[in-house]
Amino acid sequence: MTEDFAAIIMKLREVEEDVRALIEEAQDRADKILEEAQSSSHRIYREAYLEEVKRMEEEASRIIEDARVEAEREASSILVKAEEMLDELRAKARDRFEEAVKLVLKEVMEGSL
Amino acid sequence: MIDPLVNRIIEDARVKAQRIIDEAEREAKAMIEARRREAIEAARREASSIIMKAEVEAAYLKRRILVDARMRAKWMEIVEKNKLIEDVLREAARRLENMPRDDRYRRFLEDRIYEYGVLAGGGDLEVVLSEDDRGFKLDIDRIAERVEATVGIPTTIRVSDSRLKSRWGVVVRRLDGSVEIDGSLEAVFERLKPKLQPMLARILFMGV
């Protein structure tokens, strides 16, 4: 019985060593994971920062381009309306051309020059 | 009897070891994610002026494009109105040059010679006529008398050998060259334009 107990204690001591080794190995691996994360964080920070700045620059370009497209659409509409107004102007002037010419002749022939 | 207990201890140790690794991985992932968020916030904070500048530039660009378009539209209107007024003046000039040389035209010329003679202050005057009006019977002596009576200075008028470039109008000048009143077609139109342009604009473009 005493011999059995001694064997058990011996066995448990061996297991304790195995357990310690197992935990130490895990702890080493965990430390390495954290160390790698720590060392890569600077690169991650830089990449994320540059990516975000690039995204904002693209957003800025889009804002300007959208404004340009919208303004050119409005400008085109202004010029189309202006052309329509010119057509109206020409038509009115055509209708009143004779009256205008007669006014000039009257002013020249009857006015003081 | 001991083996199950040993196995259990080993198994528990493996679970604990795996938990340590899992926890480290979670922590590493969280650390990297936090760093990434921190970078994005810093970029947004520092580059927020990029968006603000873009918004200002966009507003300026839009305003400039619209102002250009409105100015261009206004310029097109001004150019077209001027062209239409010039068309009228050109047609009026054409009709004046081709008008019949009748009594009405003769009276018109005589009145202008008198008027210009008075403006010149009388004296020794000459009139320059167009080639078309050269053979016209104008009562030059009577006009000279009228001018003399108006200005109180002895006046003579003769028809010059020179000719107007235009086919209409008259120029009266002193023989000594000190005074010249230009009543040629071009000169009359130049003088009348400031008065005629708004009148023509009212007629041609009223209500547009």
Side-chain angles (χ1 to χ4, degrees):
Chain A
M1 184 68 187
T2 308
E3 279 175 12
D4 284 350
F5 185 73
I8 288 169
I9 294 298
M10 183 95 86
K11 185 76 177 170
L12 285 177
R13 279 189 181 148
E14 280 171 27
V15 168
E16 194 182 356
E17 283 300 311
D18 289 347
V19 165
R20 190 176 296 115
L22 211 58
I23 296 300
E24 274 175 9
E25 191 186 326
Q27 194 60 57
D28 286 349
R29 204 169 145 203
D31 289 346
K32 202 171 177 191
I33 288 169
L34 289 171
E35 200 176 302
E36 278 171 6
Q38 184 67 44
S39 67
S40 67
S41 71
H42 181 67
R43 180 180 53 78
I44 299 283
Y45 183 94
R46 190 168 159 274
E47 283 174 3
Y49 183 92
L50 292 177
E51 192 181 327
E52 184 62 12
V53 168
K54 190 180 167 203
R55 194 193 64 76
M56 288 177 82
E57 282 171 348
E58 284 168 358
E59 170 74 4
S61 297
R62 194 191 55 74
I63 288 170
I64 293 168
E65 182 59 16
D66 285 356
R68 191 184 61 74
V69 169
E70 191 188 334
E72 280 179 356
R73 196 168 41 236
E74 281 181 43
S76 169
S77 160
I78 287 170
L79 292 175
V80 167
K81 278 183 189 156
E83 282 292 349
E84 288 169 1
M85 198 272 284
L86 291 185
D87 287 343
E88 199 185 330
L89 207 65
R90 289 186 197 104
K92 277 259 165 65
R94 220 172 14 248
D95 290 347
R96 295 166 182 174
F97 186 78
E98 196 54 34
E99 187 187 343
V101 171
K102 282 180 178 162
L103 172 88
V104 176
L105 295 176
K106 184 170 175 291
E107 285 294 319
V108 171
M109 296 303 288
E110 294 178 10
S112 179
L113 307 171
Chain B
M1 186 183 144
I2 186 84
D3 284 348
L5 183 62
V6 166
N7 288 343
R8 177 72 191 270
I9 290 168
I10 295 290
E11 188 51 37
D12 285 352
R14 282 201 181 109
V15 168
K16 192 180 174 190
Q18 189 57 48
R19 205 176 292 140
I20 288 167
I21 292 166
D22 289 348
E23 180 62 30
E25 281 174 347
R26 250 197 315 277
E27 203 177 314
K29 203 174 165 188
M31 185 197 296
I32 284 169
E33 183 57 24
R35 199 73 178 125
R36 206 179 62 79
R37 283 180 190 282
E38 196 185 323
I40 289 172
E41 278 170 25
R44 284 184 184 165
R45 210 169 34 248
E46 287 165 32
S48 65
S49 63
I50 292 174
I51 300 292
M52 277 166 62
K53 273 186 197 164
E55 280 166 353
V56 169
E57 192 180 332
Y60 171 76
L61 180 68
K62 192 175 171 185
R63 194 165 53 246
R64 190 169 61 75
I65 289 172
L66 292 181
V67 166
D68 281 354
R70 287 189 192 107
M71 277 175 67
R72 203 170 143 202
K74 192 69 199 164
W75 184 245
M76 285 159 64
E77 184 188 337
I78 290 167
V79 167
E80 190 62 28
K81 282 182 172 177
N82 275 335
K83 183 186 163 297
L84 292 168
I85 287 174
E86 285 299 323
D87 287 350
V88 168
L89 293 173
R90 205 167 23 252
E91 174 61 14
R94 194 190 65 77
R95 291 191 196 180
L96 284 170
E97 287 192 315
N98 292 303
M99 72 187 301
R101 267 45 185 177
D102 54 12
D103 272 355
R104 183 181 171 227
Y105 183 62
R106 185 181 51 75
R107 274 198 306 279
F108 169 77
L109 274 186
E110 288 176 347
D111 286 349
R112 293 294 80 78
I113 294 167
Y114 163 74
E115 186 182 315
Y116 296 169
V118 170
L119 283 171
D124 294 326
L125 305 173
E126 70 171 0
V127 295
V128 184
L129 297 168
S130 70
E131 188 63 40
D132 288 16
D133 298 340
R134 197 177 176 185
F136 227 26
K137 290 279 179 201
L138 297 170
D139 195 348
I140 294 291
D141 293 339
R142 172 79 189 117
I143 301 168
E145 283 172 21
R146 285 172 62 201
V147 173
E148 189 172 318
T150 305
V151 300
I153 291 173
T155 299
T156 63
I157 302 176
R158 70 178 186 87
V159 176
S160 170
D161 291 334
S162 306
R163 293 288 166 258
L164 287 183
K165 283 183 189 164
S166 62
R167 294 174 57 204
W168 182 98
V170 63
V171 169
V172 175
R173 60 192 178 204
R174 280 199 178 157
L175 281 177
D176 64 8
S178 59
V179 180
E180 179 177 290
I181 315 296
D182 191 350
S184 64
L185 187 67
E186 297 79 13
V188 167
F189 268 56
E190 273 311 304
R191 284 201 293 276
L192 276 179
K193 255 189 186 177
K195 180 185 174 191
L196 284 174
Q197 279 170 330
M199 293 166 83
L200 291 175
R202 268 196 298 278
I203 291 175
L204 293 172
F205 316 125
M206 197 168 56
V208 181

